[in-house]
Amino acid sequence: ETGVTQSPTHLIKTRGQQVTLRCSSQSGHNTVSWYQQALGQGPQFIFQYYREEENGRGNFPPRFSGLQFPNYSSELNVNALELDDSALYLCASSLGGKAFFGQGTRLTVV
Amino acid sequence: AQSVTQLDSQVPVFEEAPVELRCNYSSSVSVYLFWYVQYPNQGLQLLLKYLSGSTLVESINGFEAEFNKSQTSFHLRKPSVHISDTAEYFCAVENYGGSQGNLIFGKGTKLSVKP
């Protein structure tokens, strides 16, 4: 049990649609990172938020955006979904040099 | 740019046999090193990490990894595996002094332990 909860666990969307994925972190974890894990691949860093500000971004287009809220929850938004966006999306909150991962949201784009 | 290479995509092994999962990294700066484990349909769990100090780090379930700076490696070993060790293992690096949570992962190694 990592204390990091993601919702929903599974989601099916149509190409071109928009999606919002949610993550709830432990109290006090003011850094949250999002990763995309395509089938058969390792997780790839999307971006990180620290105290509600974006604090680093990986090689993902602007249609991937995020928000972090004062209550340690966060969102990943993806616009104009493409088939290649199908993946497991993981969020991780950090404290004391350790990242705690949620179980992920599996997004399927059809 | 940093990168992580896990040399074996799949490692089948019999129960109670030793195992080594290989990881090499490339970076122009000092890094922290991690091994994560992912069981089916679950997120990632930290197995062990190297931040500084002793180059040999151990986990509570018998795994160990040794940081070798000259060979830029961080191989994971266990002297005797159990069926329950069947999972996918990911090696990761993070910039020394980085913002925490910005991890670069390898593609993973699937460990399959057979009876």
Side-chain angles (χ1 to χ4, degrees), chain A residues 33 35 37 41-43 45 48 55 94 97-99 101-103, chain B residues 36 38 42-44 46 49 90 99-103 105-107:
Chain A
S33 304
Y35 293 82
Q37 186 179 12
Q41 302 293 318
F45 175 71
Q48 181 181 85
N55 187 41
S94 302
K98 185 176 177 180
F101 282 84
Q103 290 192 323
Chain B
Y36 282 85
Q38 187 175 37
Q42 294 191 25
L44 298 168
L46 179 66
K49 62 183 177 182
F90 292 93
S99 55
Q100 298 182 21
N102 181 353
L103 296 159
F105 285 89
K107 291 188 175 182

Side-chain angles (χ1 to χ4, degrees), chain B residues 1-4 25-32 69 72 93-96 104:
Chain B
Q2 295 169 319
S3 65
V4 176
Y25 69 93
S26 172
S27 177
S28 58
V29 299
S30 296
V31 295
Y32 299 136
K69 188 175 182 178
T72 60
V93 302
E94 182 179 75
N95 274 350
Y96 178 80
I104 308 298

